[in-house]
Amino acid sequence: MEYEKRRDECVLFLEEGFGTTDNPRKLQDAGFQVVCFATEFTHEHKNRIRVTDPKLINHCYRNKYVLFTMDKSMKHTHVEVIKKTDVAIIATESCDKYSPAQWIDALIKAKSVVRRHIRKYRRPWFAHLAIAGEIRKIETITQNMVTRRTRPMEQ
C-alpha cells in the first residue's frame, strides 16, 4: 500500500438503492458524513430518470465523495471512466443476498478501516465490502487496466 495522506473529509455518496432516511441516518449516527442520491440528483430521483454509472462516478470525483454502491462489477464495467478520475469506490460483494440495511451495518463495522483507506490509499481505487464488515479487496485502478465489456458503453 502506498502512503498518500489526504486531508479531504470522508463524505459517503449513497447510491439510490440505499434510500434517504433510515440508512443515511444510521451512518450519520456512526460518525460518517453522508450525501444521498436523491438530494444530489433531485430531478432525476423525482422523475425516476436513470442516472448512468459514469455520471455518478464523475459526480463523486468532482465533489470528492466516496461512492458506496451495490454494483460489485463497476470496476470491470467502467474502468476507463474510473481511470480518468481520483475517486474512491466501495462496492458490496452482493446486491441481492442482503438488504441495504445489512450493508449499512457492515460499512459501520468497517468504519476504521474504511477511513484509513480513504485517507491513505492511492486513488483511484475500488474496494469490496463483505457482509461481515470487512474490506476484502482493495485495488488501485491503474492506467494499464482495460475493460472486457461486450455491451454498449453508457454515456
Side-chain angles (χ1 to χ4, degrees):
M1 172 166 51
E2 284 194 36
Y3 182 78
E4 187 181 296
K5 182 86 171 175
R6 300 181 74 87
R7 306 264 185 250
D8 305 336
E9 287 292 319
C10 169
V11 181
L12 292 175
F13 179 85
L14 297 186
E15 202 178 49
E16 189 172 20
F18 291 104
T20 58
T21 54
D22 296 338
N23 291 328
R25 192 174 312 117
K26 282 168 71 175
L27 286 170
Q28 289 166 340
D29 291 345
F32 284 105
Q33 290 184 39
V34 179
V35 174
C36 297
F37 174 88
T39 58
E40 297 282 304
F41 293 94
T42 312
H43 172 73
E44 291 86 344
H45 178 71
K46 202 178 283 186
N47 296 308
R48 297 194 177 271
I49 298 171
R50 185 172 180 279
V51 177
T52 63
D53 289 341
K55 188 172 180 178
L56 287 178
I57 293 165
N58 284 312
H59 179 76
C60 290
Y61 165 59
R62 280 192 307 277
N63 293 289
K64 299 187 186 312
Y65 295 152
V66 176
L67 175 57
F68 188 46
T69 179
M70 288 190 264
D71 184 356
K72 68 180 179 181
S73 56
M74 185 182 281
K75 173 184 78 171
H76 302 293
T77 310
H78 301 293
V79 71
E80 297 301 326
V81 175
I82 297 169
K83 284 193 306 192
K84 296 174 187 171
T85 68
D86 188 20
V87 70
I89 302 170
I90 301 170
T92 62
E93 284 189 332
S94 168
C95 66
D96 53 1
K97 276 186 174 178
Y98 304 99
S99 71
Q102 289 173 296
W103 286 116
I104 295 296
D105 292 339
L107 185 61
I108 291 169
K109 285 181 197 170
K111 178 181 169 184
S112 62
V113 175
V114 167
R115 283 205 164 146
R116 187 170 36 255
H117 283 311
I118 289 168
R119 282 193 322 270
K120 295 183 179 182
Y121 213 82
R122 188 170 152 247
R123 293 188 189 186
W125 57 258
F126 190 92
H128 283 112
L129 176 68
I131 196 67
E134 304 164 349
I135 297 292
R136 291 218 186 191
K137 186 195 264 185
I138 183 166
E139 187 174 5
T140 299
I141 306 300
T142 63
Q143 291 302 314
N144 56 350
M145 291 177 148
V146 293
T147 186
R148 292 190 178 104
R149 64 179 290 128
T150 56
R151 60 189 171 103
M153 183 68 111
E154 295 176 316
Q155 297 300 325

